């Protein structure tokens, strides 16, 4: 499942400059991340990827890398806006915004951000198919083209110990994740990371859909795996940062047009 490639060696499409992004000031980059973060919550809500008060997506602050932006606990994903996001420091103190802070969000995400300086954002929620796959201890198999985006680039964290309230467990999750972009948290759900808010959110969406397709196929018959060489080739074609960012932006534009209030 795991390989050291993924985020450490971003894949790009032919002719595409690795990591190409517009130049922004710190202030512009912060606003960009906050807007995409609020938009990601709205997209998750639209797709039914949250449950109750569980779940969190975070974005590292571009000026203070040991700080991250996250949703305020108790606000539904469909009501997240740029202005009600929280800025949290390395000790779990709210630096900007009005709490409360989700304890599990800090316990998990603070350790991910510390262990992975290459990661700008991380997403975790309790979506139905991610939970279902995590309950049977199966990885995402290369059974279709889209699932190959995670080939040799995800892990199973098989150490469920209740609600994550301790940074010690956050450290164990971060260690298990390694250099990969996705972790299946056993009996819990999915956790994705990316070099941008856009990619972290999109990889979560893609993983949830891959889990759904795999579970449906397994219920219908015997899974037919794509062979190793083809799966690895396909991963290089569709598993890169830039394609994920662009895929997210397509969803983001719909939300901007239909729910522009989240930018407030």
């Amino acid at each position: 499942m795991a390989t050291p490639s993924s985020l450490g060696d971003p894949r790009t499409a032919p002719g595409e400059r690795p990591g190409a992004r517009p130049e922004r000031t710190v202030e512009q980059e912060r606003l960009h991340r906050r807007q995409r973060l609020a938009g990601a919550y709205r997209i998750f809500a639209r797709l039914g990827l949250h449950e109750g008060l569980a779940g969190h997506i975070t974005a590292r602050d571009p000026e203070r890398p040991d700080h991250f932006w996250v949703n305020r606990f108790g606000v539904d994903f469909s009501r997240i806006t740029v202005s009600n996001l929280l800025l949290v420091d390395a000790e779990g103190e709210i630096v900007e915004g009005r709490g409360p802070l989700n304890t599990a969000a800090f316990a998990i995400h603070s350790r991910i951000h510390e262990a992975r300086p290459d990661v700008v954002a991380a997403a975790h929620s309790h979506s139905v198919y991610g939970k279902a796959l995590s309950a049977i201890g199966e990885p995402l198999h290369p059974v279709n083209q889209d699932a190959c985006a995670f080939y040799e680039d995800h892990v199973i964290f098989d150490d469920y110990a209740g609600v994550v309230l301790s940074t010690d467990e956050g450290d164990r999750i971060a260690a298990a994740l390694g250099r990969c972009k996705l972790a299946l948290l056993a009996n819990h759900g999915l956790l994705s990371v990316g070099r941008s808010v856009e990619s972290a959110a999109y990889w979560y969406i893609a993983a949830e859909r891959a889990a759904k397709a795999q579970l449906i196929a397994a219920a219908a018959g015997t899974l037919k795996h794509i062979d190793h060489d083809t799966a690895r080739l396909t991963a290089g074609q569709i598993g890169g940062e830039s394609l994920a960012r662009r895929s997210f932006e397509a969803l983001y534009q719909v939300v901007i047009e239909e729910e522009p209030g989240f930018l407030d």
Side-chain angles (χ1 to χ4, degrees), residues 63-233:
E63 184 176 16
R64 292 168 283 189
D66 62 343
H67 290 48
F68 60 84
W69 296 89
V70 67
N71 57 314
R72 176 158 60 94
F73 185 64
V75 179
D76 189 80
F77 280 16
S78 66
R79 297 296 180 266
I80 297 295
T81 64
V82 170
S83 60
N84 65 25
L85 293 170
L86 307 179
L87 179 62
V88 180
D89 68 15
E91 305 303 321
E93 297 297 324
I94 298 173
V95 175
E96 187 173 326
R98 181 169 61 89
L101 168 66
N102 185 322
T103 302
F106 177 75
I108 296 173
H109 291 258
S110 65
R111 314 322 292 167
I112 297 291
H113 285 293
E114 180 174 317
R116 293 286 299 274
D118 60 314
V119 162
V120 166
H124 166 63
S125 191
H126 295 179
S127 48
V128 173
Y129 295 99
K131 284 191 297 186
L133 190 60
S134 78
I136 61 176
E138 288 288 322
L140 286 172
H141 295 299
V143 293
N144 57 60
Q145 176 175 297
D146 298 322
C148 287
F150 302 98
Y151 188 66
E152 297 185 319
D153 206 4
H154 71 290
V155 299
I156 295 176
F157 176 71
D158 192 14
D159 188 19
Y160 181 73
V163 177
V164 183
L165 300 177
S166 165
T167 54
D168 290 341
E169 185 164 353
D171 285 329
R172 295 198 301 277
I173 292 172
L177 179 65
R179 305 300 299 174
C180 293
K181 64 173 173 254
L182 178 73
L184 278 68
L185 309 181
N187 309 107
H188 192 169
L190 306 175
L191 183 143
S192 62
V193 298
R195 291 179 178 272
S196 63
V197 174
E198 297 94 316
S199 62
Y202 183 73
W203 290 137
Y204 189 99
I205 294 166
E208 171 71 4
R209 289 171 170 167
K212 179 178 182 180
Q214 179 172 315
L215 289 164
I216 291 173
T222 302
L223 295 176
K224 180 181 179 181
H225 289 220
I226 296 170
D227 69 85
H228 170 71
D229 289 342
T230 304
R232 177 172 280 184
L233 170 65

Side-chain angles (χ1 to χ4, degrees), residues 247-259:
S247 298
F248 175 87
E249 284 293 339
L251 298 171
Y252 183 76
Q253 292 306 317
V254 174
V255 176
I256 278 191
E257 292 176 8
E258 299 182 0
E259 300 180 50

